Amino acid sequence: HMFELFFDSPEFFQMFWNSMKITAAILLGQLVFGMPSAWGLARYRFPGKRAVYLLYIILMMMPFQVTMLSEYLVLDAMGLMDTSASVILPGIFSTFSVFIMYRFFNGIPESIIEAARIDGAGELQIFLRIGIALGRPGITSALVLAFLECWNMIEQPMTFLTTKSRWPLSLFLPEIDGGNAGLSLCASLAALLPAVFVFLMGQDYLEQGIASSAMKE
């Protein structure tokens, strides 16, 4: 069955690389947009900050079924339906990752930031050299959790992607004939391996993140 999966199932490889492309793009986007958002929310004061923070919390708590219609209408108006971007864009602006990174950025002592400013460091330098360095456990935790979520998501691609060749691997498993239990088991194991690998690689950071969050509470 493993031979059949790897050499007789071109759909498996296509959907595997679709998953890799979608997941990598979402994680990269969360680094580019999520990290500065979390840093700004954690380290700067501005009018309406509390309202913005509350909005992040509300959006984070909302299930996909609640936001599905609004996302569909926006993506359809942008002409992005049935493209990889229809799954990638909503994932990039995930509020959950921002919230996790915010907690770690918010825990950096203000004295360190002020000392850097006194030494002449600009705001960008402080973010790059202090924020990212000291917030690395939170950033890594957010990325690991985001990877696990993106790799296994089903509802978003099922809603926004109609062309089978664009489906991620998470939609391949339900397509396997129920009578072929061996192939289904092999496909499940092959889909599980990347998630297990990423989890093991980021396990220490996840433990640090949980311990740090508990101490802050």
Side-chain angles (χ1 to χ4, degrees):
H1 292 295
M2 190 64 73
F3 181 89
E4 180 182 352
L5 177 67
F6 284 99
F7 295 98
D8 258 352
S9 303
E11 283 186 348
F12 174 84
F13 282 103
Q14 185 175 39
M15 294 184 182
F16 179 87
W17 290 113
N18 286 344
S19 288
M20 291 293 291
K21 178 178 67 175
I22 290 172
T23 303
I26 290 176
L27 296 185
L28 179 61
Q30 289 186 3
L31 284 176
V32 173
F33 296 101
M35 276 199 310
S37 300
W39 177 258
L41 192 61
R43 306 309 311 184
Y44 297 106
R45 300 190 180 198
F46 53 87
K49 176 179 177 178
R50 186 176 294 273
V52 173
Y53 180 75
L54 181 61
L55 179 61
Y56 267 92
I57 299 297
I58 293 173
L59 291 175
M60 184 178 65
M61 295 175 63
M62 283 185 178
F64 171 70
Q65 292 82 355
V66 175
T67 61
M68 177 178 65
L69 179 59
S70 58
E71 289 183 14
Y72 182 93
L73 294 175
V74 171
L75 293 169
D76 185 53
M78 296 174 67
L80 296 177
M81 289 299 298
D82 198 25
T83 67
S84 297
S86 65
V87 180
I88 293 171
L89 282 180
I92 285 177
F93 298 101
S94 168
T95 55
F96 180 64
S97 297
V98 173
F99 177 76
I100 294 178
M101 289 186 280
Y102 161 84
R103 291 298 304 273
F104 283 83
F105 288 150
N106 196 44
I108 298 175
E110 185 65 27
S111 58
I112 297 178
I113 307 296
E114 289 300 324
R117 290 195 180 110
I118 292 173
D119 288 340
E123 296 302 317
L124 181 59
Q125 288 179 308
I126 293 174
F127 170 61
L128 295 176
R129 297 182 181 180
I130 297 178
I132 294 179
L134 297 182
R136 187 177 301 169
I139 296 170
T140 306
S141 298
L143 292 180
V144 170
L145 294 174
F147 179 93
L148 297 177
E149 180 184 3
C150 296
W151 187 260
N152 297 305
M153 63 180 167
I154 294 178
E155 294 172 321
Q156 293 89 334
M158 187 178 293
T159 303
F160 301 139
L161 300 177
T162 56
T163 303
K164 195 171 183 178
S165 62
R166 297 189 176 98
W167 284 5
L169 189 59
S170 55
L171 296 186
F172 173 78
L173 302 179
E175 289 289 303
I176 300 176
D177 184 4
N180 199 339
L183 179 63
S184 178
L185 177 61
C186 290
S188 299
L189 290 175
L192 182 63
L193 287 177
V196 172
F197 175 76
V198 170
F199 174 79
L200 292 177
M201 290 291 292
Q203 184 178 8
D204 291 340
Y205 287 105
L206 283 173
E207 291 175 355
Q208 292 178 36
I210 293 171
S212 178
S213 295
M215 291 176 65
K216 289 172 189 173
E217 291 293 339

